[in-house]
Amino acid sequence: MAAQGRLKIYTIDGVNVCDVVVDGEASVSTQNFIPGIYLAVVSGSAGDKSFKLIVE
Protein backbone atom coordinates (compact mmCIF):
# COMPACT_ATOMS: atom_id res chain seq x y z
CA MET A 1 0.00 0.00 0.00
CA ALA A 2 1.18 3.57 -0.55
CA ALA A 3 0.52 6.08 2.20
CA GLN A 4 2.03 8.66 4.49
CA GLY A 5 1.10 8.69 8.14
CA ARG A 6 0.32 5.84 10.49
CA LEU A 7 -1.02 2.35 9.83
CA LYS A 8 -2.86 0.58 12.64
CA ILE A 9 -4.40 -2.89 12.47
CA TYR A 10 -6.94 -4.06 15.06
CA THR A 11 -8.60 -7.38 15.79
CA ILE A 12 -12.38 -7.55 15.49
CA ASP A 13 -12.65 -6.95 19.27
CA GLY A 14 -10.46 -3.81 19.18
CA VAL A 15 -7.01 -5.10 20.19
CA ASN A 16 -4.21 -3.22 18.38
CA VAL A 17 -1.90 -5.79 16.72
CA CYS A 18 0.11 -3.44 14.46
CA ASP A 19 1.08 0.23 14.70
CA VAL A 20 3.67 1.57 12.24
CA VAL A 21 4.65 4.92 10.77
CA VAL A 22 4.43 4.85 6.99
CA ASP A 23 6.31 7.15 4.60
CA GLY A 24 5.61 6.06 1.03
CA GLU A 25 5.35 2.37 0.17
CA ALA A 26 4.72 -0.08 2.99
CA SER A 27 4.16 -3.77 3.40
CA VAL A 28 3.02 -5.57 6.50
CA SER A 29 3.38 -9.30 6.97
CA THR A 30 0.35 -11.08 8.37
CA GLN A 31 2.28 -14.33 8.76
CA ASN A 32 1.99 -14.23 12.57
CA PHE A 33 -1.67 -13.16 12.60
CA ILE A 34 -4.35 -15.62 13.68
CA PRO A 35 -6.79 -16.25 10.79
CA GLY A 36 -9.77 -13.90 11.02
CA ILE A 37 -11.07 -10.45 10.17
CA TYR A 38 -9.09 -7.35 11.11
CA LEU A 39 -9.66 -3.60 10.74
CA ALA A 40 -6.83 -1.61 9.16
CA VAL A 41 -6.75 2.18 9.53
CA VAL A 42 -4.38 4.51 7.68
CA SER A 43 -4.22 8.00 9.22
CA GLY A 44 -2.52 10.78 7.31
CA SER A 45 -2.75 14.35 6.06
CA ALA A 46 -5.47 13.34 3.56
CA GLY A 47 -7.63 11.98 6.40
CA ASP A 48 -8.33 8.50 7.72
CA LYS A 49 -9.05 5.52 5.51
CA SER A 50 -10.17 2.19 6.92
CA PHE A 51 -10.62 -1.21 5.34
CA LYS A 52 -11.31 -4.80 6.28
CA LEU A 53 -8.34 -7.19 6.22
CA ILE A 54 -9.10 -10.93 6.01
CA VAL A 55 -6.32 -13.32 7.05
CA GLU A 56 -6.81 -16.93 6.01
Side-chain angles (χ1 to χ4, degrees), residues 13-51:
D13 57 352
V15 176
N16 187 331
V17 294
C18 179
D19 188 351
V20 295
V21 174
V22 178
D23 186 16
E25 292 291 321
S27 63
V28 175
S29 173
T30 57
Q31 182 177 359
N32 294 327
F33 285 22
I34 296 169
I37 299 172
Y38 295 82
L39 173 66
V41 179
V42 178
S43 302
S45 59
D48 293 350
K49 302 243 183 218
S50 62
F51 55 93

